Amino acid sequence: MTGYPTLLSPLDLGFTTLRNRVVMGSMHTGLEDSPRDTGKLAEYFAERSRGGVGLIVTGGYAPNRTGWLKPFASKMTTRAEAARHREVTAAVHEGGGKIAMQLLHAGRYAYHPLSVSASSIKAPINPFRPRALSSRGVRALIDDFARSAELARQAGYDGVEIMGSEGYLINQFLAPRTNKRTDEWGGSPENRRRLAVEVVRRTRAAVGADFIIVYRLSMAELVPDGQTWDEIVTLGQEVEAAGATIINTGIGWHEARVPTIVTSVPRAAFTSITAAFRPHVSIPVVTSNRINMPQVAEEVLTRGDADLVSMARPFLADPDWVRKAAEDRADEINTCIACNQACLDHIFVNKKASCMVNPRAARETELVLLPARRAKRVAVVGAGPAGLSAAVTLGSRGHAVDLFEAASEIGGQFDIARRIPGKEEFAETIRYYTRQLALTGVKVHLGRRAGAEDLAEYDEVVLATGVRPRVPSIPGIDHPSVLSYVDVVRHGAPVGARVAIIGAGGIGVDVAEFLTHAPGPWAAEWGVGADGSLGVPAPVASPREVYLVQRKEGPIGNTLGKTTGWVHRAALKAKGVHRISGAAYVRIDDEGLHIEVGGEARVLAVDTVVVCAGQESSRELVEELAGAGRAPHVIGGADVAAELDAKRAIDQGTRLAARI
Ligand code: NAP
Ligand code: SF4
């Protein structure tokens, strides 16, 4: 008996049975796009199948060339393509899981000039204007979907998922926002639904009765002129009648200005929408979005919100998620913290996805962790993300590791991040490492600033001593009103009602959110109704007046991640944060912060100035050891402070530890 009896119970689909209620949702990694990567893709999925996932859904494959996400992206259109997939499906089946291929036509989200849509209306997030499909073109497209599904079956897949949400082509036909047609594929709701329903009907006819068809249905559009709730429900009923086996939940178009998956979205924030939909159909329904731990998944299912739970990014973070849940070892799960830094932010700049907290994700054949050939005594200095990843990886390979940390707790910069409202998930990574340190036998020495003399006896020394906040040379920087972000966020130093923040990088923006935060319901802040409808955002007013200042010209926050930056910028705007670019710092005194902007002098009459001006490496020990003729390994912020991020730190720590 496990702590998650519903989540781990099998689901009988009549012609086949899923071993549990866990779906690994579709997530494009970039390994789909080149035949050269088929072996890597097979191992990536195989690890998750061995880890216990019930049903895996692949990244999106286009049913024809116009549906490519980008030029020469993944598609399923020929027997030769299908044959290559046998390696993938066989590897998954060997692990005991099942796998469905997602069929996705990008429509007007296609990043190439061949793109098509219901009508010739450009998406706000894509420079390419689509061509409106002719009526014959729509019929040919339906044939293409059915043919791709047939090929997927030949390739050994257990099913397909038809992508009907997130604003892709089928969704573009469904919504009046993008469908202005006057033929049988547009106009009335029934006509707009015709493509979706016909794709399912023809796919069922092509693949036979004993093949899974998941239809991913947009249950909340979160854009103006989307489908109404009644239309969404009717679509679900028609899709069921047309032959779908399972309905999956899609939340929000990619162009929606409501966050749906970033870390500040509360866990399981949208499952109530699946719950409202579920009674209207009789086939199993999957829910999704910001579910990352077994307890949350179990609660969602026992509450009756859905029959299955889909998680995509949590399986990048931990391939053994299900096995750990089944063995009541949830505290060992490497939790997805919804940062997007190494997954979606990579995909949007055409890089292969991985995971910030698990650099092995989608690198399974390359970053292999073998037992050490000779166990060594290794000292790791610094228990931030770099030091922690190095220490646990070394320990897992059989080395005897001592971890020294000057602070009274582990975590480094993550211990600061977890205190920012909306970034509480970072605490999960600290919990994960705490458990892994114990499991891998790493001896942890907290409150211990290691010196060269402490490190003399070790075979190898890894320095991950991190960074310290940069103190800019501004006259008055030692004025009593000046605090560093560490004082404010970690040590809770009192902050006045009017505040200026020097530096608007990732930490400056975080501090602005920290200082303007006031508790309130998340959905109301973003204007999301209980049924997923879009209303007027009602943010809770900030308790402080905050100025966020940078020297460079251009908008504040444009160095932040592609998929998360806009959420932070919108949050700052909603809280009335004054954003000042192109500033020169003149001095700080009793009047406040004196700056010059465009040649004009200004005084920001504030009570507190918080410095977030980047970091400098802490390298004293590096120099000390070098002086003693030692050659330590230097990683993380101690190696390079500029543009340090945890993704680089964890990757560097893991890769070094894999080599020692
Ligand atoms: P950062 O992103 O490099 O920003 C430091 C800021 O300080 C810059 O915006 C810079 O802007 C300013 N600055 C630099 N030298 C200065 C000086 N001498 N005097 C005054 N201002 C100066 O560093 P961070 O904010 O400390 O963040 C550290 C890392 O963590 C970054 O890689 C960041 O991306 C990551 N992080 C990301 C997030 C997120 O994505 N939400 C959150 C936290 C941290 P000007 O030179 O224009 O003034
Ligand atoms: Fe989750 Fe961040 Fe890893 Fe993406 S990079 S899977 S969001 S932890």
Side-chain angles (χ1 to χ4, degrees):
M1 191 67 188
T2 84
Y4 319 104
T6 317
L7 182 67
L8 298 172
S9 63
L11 180 67
D12 184 359
L13 296 173
F15 56 90
T16 188
T17 299
L18 303 181
R19 60 181 160 177
N20 53 48
R21 309 300 179 106
V22 182
V23 178
M24 174 178 167
S26 178
M27 162 93 207
H28 212 74
T29 61
L31 293 177
E32 302 82 357
D33 295 331
S34 164
R36 277 198 315 269
D37 291 330
T38 305
K40 294 179 190 171
L41 189 65
E43 188 46 34
Y44 162 69
F45 283 134
E47 232 180 66
R48 275 88 192 150
S49 177
R50 290 194 293 269
V53 178
L55 176 67
I56 291 171
V57 182
T58 66
Y61 285 80
N64 60 28
R65 288 193 312 158
T66 62
W68 274 334
L69 279 162
K70 61 179 186 182
F72 308 104
S74 49
K75 63 181 175 64
M76 181 54 115
T77 55
T78 65
R79 277 174 188 279
E81 282 165 354
R84 274 199 296 275
H85 282 263
R86 287 230 152 252
E87 186 180 351
V88 174
T89 53
V92 169
H93 292 151
E94 215 167 286
K98 298 204 176 337
I99 183 163
M101 169 176 274
Q102 189 188 67
L103 301 180
L104 178 152
H105 191 298
R108 70 176 194 159
Y109 285 165
Y111 208 80
H112 56 72
L114 303 178
S115 67
V116 297
S117 184
S119 302
S120 181
I121 307 170
K122 212 172 74 59
I125 55 171
N126 190 345
F128 294 99
R129 176 179 292 280
R131 173 173 62 81
L133 271 173
S134 66
S135 187
R136 229 176 73 199
V138 180
R139 278 191 283 274
L141 175 75
I142 296 168
D143 291 343
D144 291 341
F145 266 102
R147 162 97 177 127
S148 291
E150 233 180 310
L151 289 169
R153 180 164 193 154
Q154 285 169 21
Y157 283 94
D158 303 283
V160 289
E161 175 173 87
I162 294 165
M163 182 46 157
S165 66
E166 260 74 3
Y168 289 112
L169 182 84
I170 291 178
N171 211 169
Q172 290 159 27
F173 270 81
L174 288 164
R177 174 182 181 77
T178 38
N179 186 343
K180 309 289 181 197
R181 302 175 73 100
T182 51
D183 60 3
E184 73 268 40
W185 308 103
S188 67
E190 193 189 351
N191 281 358
R192 282 186 270 115
R193 284 196 296 272
R194 195 180 310 279
L195 171 65
V197 176
E198 281 304 298
V199 166
V200 176
R201 197 179 61 76
R202 290 285 309 284
T203 300
R204 176 55 75 206
V207 295
D210 56 347
F211 191 67
I212 299 169
I213 298 179
V214 183
Y215 180 83
R216 180 104 175 256
L217 187 141
S218 182
M219 274 185 215
E221 307 261 59
L222 304 182
V223 288
D225 297 324
Q227 300 167 87
T228 64
W229 178 249
D230 289 346
E231 287 172 19
I232 288 169
V233 168
T234 308
L235 173 66
Q237 291 163 338
E238 290 181 5
V239 157
E240 175 177 359
T245 322
I246 293 172
I247 291 179
N248 192 0
T249 299
I251 300 288
W253 292 37
H254 284 313
E255 67 208 62
R257 294 293 90 178
V258 175
T260 54
I261 56 168
V262 301
T263 193
S264 55
V265 175
R267 288 178 174 181
F270 296 101
T271 65
S272 58
I273 299 172
T274 315
F277 174 87
R278 189 174 176 229
H280 297 285
V281 292
S282 53
I283 52 177
V285 174
V286 189
T287 195
S288 72
N289 287 53
R290 287 290 287 117
I291 299 166
N292 59 353
M293 287 298 277
Q295 193 58 44
V296 186
E298 180 70 14
E299 279 163 23
V300 163
L301 294 184
T302 50
R303 208 163 51 217
D305 289 2
D307 303 277
L308 301 106
V309 164
S310 171
M311 293 166 280
R313 297 171 300 169
F315 286 104
L316 285 175
D318 197 332
D320 288 326
W321 192 102
V322 177
R323 190 208 312 271
K324 288 176 182 174
E327 294 171 1
D328 275 334
R329 295 188 289 127
D331 60 344
E332 292 178 31
I333 288 177
N334 195 0
T335 306
C336 165
I337 59 174
C339 66
N340 287 358
Q341 275 176 251
C343 53
L344 291 169
D345 282 349
H346 275 208
I347 288 299
F348 279 95
V349 294
N350 261 331
K351 276 166 69 177
K352 293 205 171 76
S354 185
C355 171
M356 180 171 85
V357 298
N358 173 24
R360 289 194 66 249
R363 311 281 185 278
E364 286 74 15
T365 55
E366 165 207 329
L367 185 44
V368 182
L369 302 177
L370 298 171
R373 260 185 277 164
R374 178 171 79 83
K376 291 182 174 179
R377 288 197 64 207
V378 187
V380 178
V381 185
L388 288 168
S389 63
V392 302
T393 309
L394 286 163
S396 72
R397 297 186 51 234
H399 292 300
V401 184
D402 281 292
L403 175 62
F404 297 94
E405 169 56 51
S408 58
E409 50 206 323
I410 67 164
Q413 294 288 316
F414 270 32
D415 186 44
I416 297 177
R418 75 178 174 88
R419 297 166 199 262
I420 305 292
K423 284 201 163 177
E424 294 82 0
E425 292 282 5
F426 281 69
E428 293 286 2
T429 305
I430 298 178
R431 183 265 309 146
Y432 165 75
Y433 278 123
T434 304
R435 186 77 186 109
Q436 291 301 317
L437 288 170
L439 289 170
T440 56
V442 173
K443 287 200 194 99
V444 184
H445 309 273
L446 293 176
R448 186 75 192 279
R449 187 174 291 280
E453 66 288 357
D454 300 307
L455 306 174
E457 301 299 317
Y458 291 93
D459 301 317
E460 307 273 353
V461 174
V462 178
L463 295 186
T465 43
V467 291
R468 60 171 160 266
R470 176 183 289 124
V471 181
S473 52
I474 302 169
I477 194 73
D478 50 0
H479 189 271
S481 63
V482 179
L483 297 170
S484 86
Y485 68 85
V486 182
D487 301 326
V488 173
V489 181
R490 188 181 247 168
H491 303 307
V495 175
R498 290 167 58 86
V499 189
I501 299 172
I502 292 182
I507 291 181
V509 169
D510 274 359
V511 169
E513 290 188 30
F514 180 85
L515 294 174
T516 56
H517 177 70
W522 177 88
E525 289 223 1
W526 290 94
V528 182
D531 59 352
S533 58
L534 203 54
V536 181
V540 184
S542 163
R544 294 189 179 83
E545 180 157 26
V546 172
Y547 296 84
L548 183 55
V549 190
Q550 68 179 13
R551 297 176 302 181
K552 64 177 93 57
E553 299 287 352
I556 293 253
N558 62 357
T559 55
L560 302 175
K562 185 105 179 143
T563 60
T564 53
W566 68 270
V567 184
H568 292 293
R569 288 191 292 273
L572 296 179
K573 200 168 161 199
K575 293 291 184 173
V577 172
H578 308 283
R579 289 150 288 161
I580 303 175
S581 299
Y585 301 111
V586 178
R587 67 176 183 281
I588 302 161
D589 60 20
D590 291 347
E591 284 183 78
L593 174 63
H594 297 250
I595 55 174
E596 235 180 65
V597 187
E600 265 186 44
R602 278 186 70 181
V603 188
L604 305 180
V606 295
D607 320 299
T608 310
V609 175
V610 185
V611 179
C612 305
Q615 335 287 333
E616 282 163 0
S617 298
S618 297
R619 292 181 62 91
E620 294 77 6
L621 202 49
V622 181
E623 319 302 339
E624 214 183 311
L625 285 175
R630 304 283 310 265
H633 308 276
V634 186
I635 58 173
D639 178 25
V640 185
E643 286 166 29
L644 167 74
D645 63 35
K647 179 180 72 177
R648 179 155 59 78
I650 294 175
D651 187 70
Q652 203 180 10
T654 309
R655 284 176 193 273
L656 169 69
R659 288 198 308 271
I660 286 178

Coordinates of all heavy atoms in Angstrom, one line a residue, residues 27 261 312-317 335-344 354-358 429 647, ligand 2:
M27 N 6.4 17.4 -24.3 CA 7.4 18.5 -24.1 C 8.4 18.3 -25.2 O 9.2 17.3 -25.2 CB 8.0 18.3 -22.7 CG 9.2 19.0 -22.5 SD 8.9 20.7 -21.8 CE 10.3 21.5 -22.4
I261 N 2.2 28.3 -16.5 CA 3.1 27.2 -16.0 C 4.3 27.7 -15.2 O 5.1 26.9 -14.7 CB 3.6 26.3 -17.2 CG1 4.3 27.2 -18.2 CG2 2.5 25.5 -17.8 CD1 5.1 26.3 -19.2
A312 N 4.8 17.2 -17.5 CA 5.8 17.2 -18.5 C 7.2 17.5 -17.9 O 8.0 16.6 -17.7 CB 5.5 18.1 -19.6
R313 N 7.4 18.7 -17.4 CA 8.7 19.1 -16.9 C 9.1 18.3 -15.6 O 10.3 18.0 -15.5 CB 8.6 20.6 -16.5 CG 8.4 21.5 -17.8 CD 8.2 22.9 -17.4 NE 7.0 23.1 -16.6 CZ 6.7 24.2 -16.0 NH1 7.4 25.2 -16.0 NH2 5.6 24.2 -15.2
P314 N 8.2 17.8 -14.8 CA 8.6 17.0 -13.6 C 9.4 15.8 -14.0 O 10.2 15.3 -13.3 CB 7.3 16.7 -12.9 CG 6.5 17.9 -13.2 CD 6.8 18.3 -14.6
F315 N 9.1 15.3 -15.3 CA 9.9 14.1 -15.7 C 11.2 14.5 -16.4 O 12.0 13.6 -16.6 CB 9.0 13.2 -16.6 CG 8.0 12.5 -15.8 CD1 6.7 12.9 -15.8 CD2 8.4 11.5 -15.0 CE1 5.7 12.3 -15.0 CE2 7.4 10.8 -14.2 CZ 6.1 11.2 -14.2
L316 N 11.4 15.7 -16.7 CA 12.8 16.1 -17.0 C 13.6 16.2 -15.7 O 14.7 15.7 -15.7 CB 12.8 17.5 -17.7 CG 12.3 17.7 -19.1 CD1 12.2 19.1 -19.5 CD2 13.2 16.9 -20.0
A317 N 13.0 16.7 -14.7 CA 13.7 16.9 -13.4 C 14.0 15.5 -12.8 O 15.1 15.4 -12.2 CB 12.9 17.8 -12.5
T335 N 12.5 17.8 -7.6 CA 11.2 18.4 -8.0 C 11.5 19.5 -9.1 O 12.4 20.3 -8.9 CB 10.6 19.1 -6.7 OG1 10.5 18.1 -5.7 CG2 9.3 19.7 -7.0
C336 N 10.6 19.4 -10.1 CA 10.6 20.5 -11.0 C 10.1 21.8 -10.4 O 9.0 21.8 -9.8 CB 9.7 20.2 -12.2 SG 9.4 21.7 -13.2
I337 N 11.0 22.9 -10.4 CA 10.6 24.1 -9.7 C 10.0 25.1 -10.7 O 9.9 26.3 -10.3 CB 11.8 24.7 -8.9 CG1 13.0 25.0 -9.9 CG2 12.2 23.7 -7.8 CD1 14.1 25.7 -9.2
A338 N 9.7 24.7 -11.9 CA 8.9 25.5 -12.9 C 9.7 26.8 -13.2 O 9.1 27.8 -13.5 CB 7.5 25.8 -12.3
C339 N 11.0 26.7 -13.3 CA 11.8 27.9 -13.6 C 11.9 28.1 -15.1 O 12.2 29.2 -15.5 CB 13.2 27.7 -13.0 SG 14.2 26.3 -13.8
N340 N 11.7 27.1 -15.9 CA 11.8 27.1 -17.4 C 13.2 27.4 -17.9 O 13.4 27.5 -19.1 CB 10.9 28.1 -18.0 CG 9.4 27.7 -17.9 OD1 9.1 26.6 -17.5 ND2 8.5 28.5 -18.4
Q341 N 14.2 27.5 -17.1 CA 15.5 28.0 -17.5 C 16.2 27.1 -18.5 O 16.9 27.6 -19.4 CB 16.4 28.3 -16.3 CG 16.1 29.7 -15.7 CD 16.9 29.9 -14.4 OE1 16.4 30.0 -13.4 NE2 18.2 30.1 -14.6
A342 N 16.1 25.8 -18.3 CA 16.9 24.9 -19.2 C 15.9 24.1 -20.1 O 16.4 23.4 -21.0 CB 17.7 23.9 -18.4
C343 N 14.6 24.3 -19.9 CA 13.7 23.5 -20.8 C 13.1 24.5 -21.8 O 13.6 24.7 -22.9 CB 12.7 22.7 -20.0 SG 11.8 23.7 -18.8
L344 N 12.0 25.2 -21.5 CA 11.3 26.0 -22.5 C 12.2 27.2 -22.9 O 12.2 27.5 -24.1 CB 10.0 26.5 -21.9 CG 9.0 25.4 -21.7 CD1 7.8 25.8 -20.9 CD2 8.5 24.9 -23.1
S354 N 17.0 20.8 -21.6 CA 17.5 19.9 -20.5 C 16.7 20.4 -19.3 O 15.6 20.9 -19.4 CB 19.0 20.0 -20.4 OG 19.4 19.0 -19.4
C355 N 17.3 20.2 -18.1 CA 16.7 20.6 -16.9 C 17.7 21.3 -16.0 O 18.8 20.7 -15.8 CB 16.0 19.5 -16.2 SG 15.4 19.9 -14.6
M356 N 17.3 22.4 -15.4 CA 18.3 23.1 -14.5 C 18.7 22.2 -13.3 O 19.8 22.1 -13.0 CB 17.7 24.4 -14.0 CG 18.6 25.1 -13.0 SD 18.0 26.7 -12.6 CE 17.0 26.3 -11.2
V357 N 17.7 21.5 -12.7 CA 18.0 20.7 -11.5 C 18.5 19.3 -11.9 O 18.9 18.5 -11.0 CB 16.9 20.7 -10.5 CG1 16.5 22.1 -10.0 CG2 15.6 20.0 -11.1
N358 N 18.4 18.9 -13.2 CA 18.9 17.6 -13.6 C 19.5 17.7 -15.0 O 18.9 17.5 -16.0 CB 17.7 16.6 -13.7 CG 18.1 15.3 -14.3 OD1 19.3 14.9 -14.3 ND2 17.2 14.6 -14.9
T429 N 14.3 22.2 -4.0 CA 15.7 21.8 -4.4 C 16.6 21.6 -3.2 O 17.4 20.7 -3.2 CB 16.2 22.8 -5.5 OG1 15.3 22.9 -6.5 CG2 17.6 22.3 -6.0
K647 N 21.6 27.3 -13.4 CA 21.7 26.2 -14.5 C 23.2 25.9 -14.8 O 23.6 24.7 -14.8 CB 21.0 26.8 -15.7 CG 21.0 25.8 -16.9 CD 20.3 26.4 -18.1 CE 21.1 27.5 -18.7 NZ 20.5 28.1 -19.9
Ligands
SF4_2 FE1 11.4 22.2 -14.3 FE2 13.2 24.2 -14.4 FE3 13.9 21.7 -15.0 FE4 12.4 23.0 -16.7 S1 14.5 23.5 -16.1 S2 12.1 21.0 -16.0 S3 11.1 24.2 -15.3 S4 13.2 22.5 -13.0

